[in-house]
Amino acid sequence: MLTVNAIAAPSATEPLVRTTVERRDLGPKDILIEIRYAGICHSDIHTVRGEWGEVPYPLTVGHEIVGVVAETGAEVTRFDKGARVGVGCMVNSCRECENCQAGQEQYCLAGNTGTYAAVDRDGTITQGGYSTHVVVDEDFVLRVPESIPYEKAAPLLCAGITTYSPLAHWNAGPGKKVAVVGLGGLGHMAVKIAAAMGAEVTVLSQTLSKKDDGLAFGAQDYYATSDPATFEALANRFDLIVNTVSAPIDMAAHLGLLRLGGTLVSVGAPPEPLPVQVFSLFNNRRSFAGSSIGSIAETQEMLDFCAEQGIAPEIELIGADEVNEAYERVLKSDVRYRFVIDIDTLRA
Ligand code: NAP
Ligand code: ZN
Ligand code: ZN
C-alpha cells in the first residue's frame, strides 16, 4: 500500500483540506501513475456537496487526470514507464454485460466503477485525482498525444469526452446546426469540438459577456438566454442542442429551438428534474436525450481527434491551496474555462 498526498472533502459543508489517501499495491494489470495535473469538473462540486446523494466522506474527487507512468504491473502490455497517460471518469466495469461487450463500458449494466466515490472491485472506495498518485488497471488508461500541452490535456478526460460523444453520436458535422447551452468547462469544449467537426455552432449563454471568446472558439453565433427575443429569433433552427448547464433550464423554451427531427441532449446534470411537456416534443418530432461520458475507445479517439485538429481546453492553472476558491468561482459561472490543479504543489 502506498500513502500519497491528496486533497479531500471532509463533509458536504466544510472546505476541502490537505490529507493523504491509500493506493493499492500494483496488481498484474495495474499501472502506478504519478499525477501531474487534475482538472476541476462541476461534477466534483455536485458530488462533494452531496447534491447527487450520499457520499463516503472523507472523499478525494477529480476525474480529469494526466500524469506519467511510474510503475507497471507484471502483465501490463500497453504502457511503459515514462508514458504520458490520462484517466477519466471510470476506472473499471464488469466487462461481461451486454454494454461492456459492445464497447460501451460507461453504460455498464452493473454500473461502471467511478474514479471516485465508487465501491471498487476490491471493496474499497475509489479516490480521485486531486492527489499525487493513482493506481489504475491499464484497460482504463488513455494515451495522451505529445502535441497536446500537458496541463491542457487534463480537462479532455471528462469535459472533452462528455461533449465529443454526443456530438459524434448525433453526427455533428457539415450542414448541421448545433447549439451549445452554457459556456463553461463542458460548453467551451463542445463549441471547439463541434466546430472542428464542421458543424455550424451557436452558443446560448446567460449573457453576452463571453461572446468574443465563444466566437474565437469557433461559434458563428452567440445569443443570451436571458433575452426572451432569443427564443423567437432561433425557433425551429437546430438539428442538435447540447445542454451543458449544471442547473435546470426552461425545457419548453429550449426544445422550441429544435427543427424537424432535432434532438436536445443534456449532459448537464442538475440534481433537480428537467420537466418536459410532451407537446414540446410532438412539434417537429423532437427528441430529448441524455448522454454519459464516453467509452475508453471513444476517449482515445477524442484525444487523437483533438491532437490532429490542434484543439485544447482553455485553462486557469491553480495550486493545491486554491481549490476552494476555484469551486466558488465555478459556482458563479466565473471560470475561463476550466480550473486545473498543478499537482506538483501537492508534493511538498
Ligand atoms: P461549469 O463549468 O460550471 O459550466 C456550466 C455552465 O452552465 C456555466 O458556465 C454557465 O454558462 C451555465 N450555468 C450555470 N448555472 C446556470 C444557471 N443557473 N442557469 C443557466 N445557466 C447556468 O460546469 P461543467 O464542469 O461544464 O459541468 C456542467 C454540467 O455537466 C454539470 O452539471 C456536470 O455535473 C455535468 N457533467 C455531466 C457529465 C456527463 O457524463 N453527462 C460529465 C461531466 C459533467 P454561461 O455562463 O455561459 O451561461
Ligand atoms: Zn466530470
Ligand atoms: Zn458491464
Side-chain angles (χ1 to χ4, degrees):
M1 207 91 98
L2 191 62
T3 302
V4 304
N5 289 350
I7 308 169
S11 74
T13 50
E14 291 166 279
L16 277 63
V17 292
R18 282 175 180 254
T19 181
T20 58
V21 293
E22 307 272 291
R23 299 303 188 185
R24 65 172 177 262
D25 289 332
L26 286 199
K29 293 261 287 161
D30 280 338
I31 291 178
L32 174 68
I33 299 168
E34 184 185 298
I35 301 176
R36 292 284 164 80
Y37 298 99
I40 293 180
C41 177
H42 205 120
S43 300
D44 301 348
I45 306 176
H46 288 305
T47 300
V48 300
R49 305 219 165 170
E51 294 172 13
W52 284 346
E54 267 187 53
V55 179
Y57 298 109
L59 180 70
T60 292
V61 292
H63 58 204
E64 295 185 334
I65 301 169
V66 292
V68 188
V69 174
E71 262 182 66
T72 54
E75 291 168 22
V76 167
T77 56
R78 296 178 46 238
F79 296 95
D80 294 321
K81 222 169 146 170
R84 208 176 199 245
V85 292
V87 176
C89 303
M90 58 184 166
V91 289
N92 216 335
S93 72
C94 87
R95 303 170 189 235
E96 287 166 2
C97 72
E98 191 185 354
N99 293 355
C100 283
Q101 290 287 320
Q104 300 283 334
E105 58 281 341
Q106 74 277 31
Y107 299 117
C108 175
L109 296 172
N112 72 55
T113 306
T115 303
Y116 56 75
V119 180
D120 209 344
R121 307 283 144 174
D122 64 6
T124 59
I125 301 291
T126 56
Q127 303 290 335
Y130 299 3
S131 75
T132 57
H133 298 77
V134 66
V135 173
V136 182
D137 184 297
E138 71 164 334
D139 293 343
F140 285 77
V141 176
L142 286 307
R143 208 170 283 287
V144 177
E146 295 291 329
S147 65
I148 303 175
Y150 228 146
E151 66 280 11
K152 291 192 172 194
L156 294 175
L157 278 305
C158 175
I161 184 58
T162 301
T163 50
Y164 180 91
S165 185
L167 287 166
H169 181 78
W170 277 280
N171 302 311
K176 291 288 172 70
K177 290 188 168 67
V178 174
V180 174
V181 191
L183 195 68
L186 267 58
H188 93 291
M189 283 316 300
V191 172
K192 289 191 179 205
I193 292 170
M197 288 174 168
E200 189 183 314
V201 185
T202 298
V203 176
L204 302 175
S205 180
Q206 294 167 96
T207 67
L208 296 179
S209 64
K210 295 177 278 192
K211 181 172 178 179
D212 291 347
D213 289 347
L215 299 181
F217 300 156
Q220 261 113 351
D221 275 322
Y222 199 107
Y223 288 82
T225 52
S226 53
D227 180 358
T230 290
F231 293 93
E232 283 169 37
L234 301 178
N236 307 312
R237 173 162 314 192
F238 300 106
D239 298 288
L240 180 65
I241 299 177
V242 180
N243 170 35
T244 73
V245 176
S246 49
I249 58 167
D250 180 339
M251 287 300 294
H254 287 81
L255 285 167
L257 306 185
L258 291 172
R259 70 191 300 188
L260 183 65
T263 298
L264 186 160
V265 56
S266 192
V267 290
E272 304 85 0
L274 292 178
V276 174
Q277 277 282 357
V278 289
F279 297 102
S280 326
L281 298 173
F282 288 175
N283 293 333
N284 280 342
R285 202 203 285 134
R286 296 165 173 138
S287 300
F288 173 36
S291 182
S292 181
I293 51 173
S295 70
I296 293 297
E298 194 175 36
T299 305
Q300 191 62 60
E301 179 185 303
M302 175 276 308
L303 287 166
D304 297 341
F305 175 84
C306 289
E308 268 162 39
Q309 298 285 330
I311 52 181
E314 306 296 317
I315 66 152
E316 281 191 57
L317 198 59
I318 61 168
D321 296 320
E322 294 168 276
V323 173
N324 291 301
E325 202 182 308
Y327 274 24
E328 292 309 319
R329 285 190 47 203
V330 171
L331 290 169
K332 283 189 263 178
S333 302
D334 176 22
V335 50
R336 302 286 188 279
Y337 280 84
R338 198 58 143 185
F339 288 107
V340 172
I341 308 166
D342 179 351
I343 296 296
D344 278 344
T345 62
L346 200 52
R347 286 186 218 288

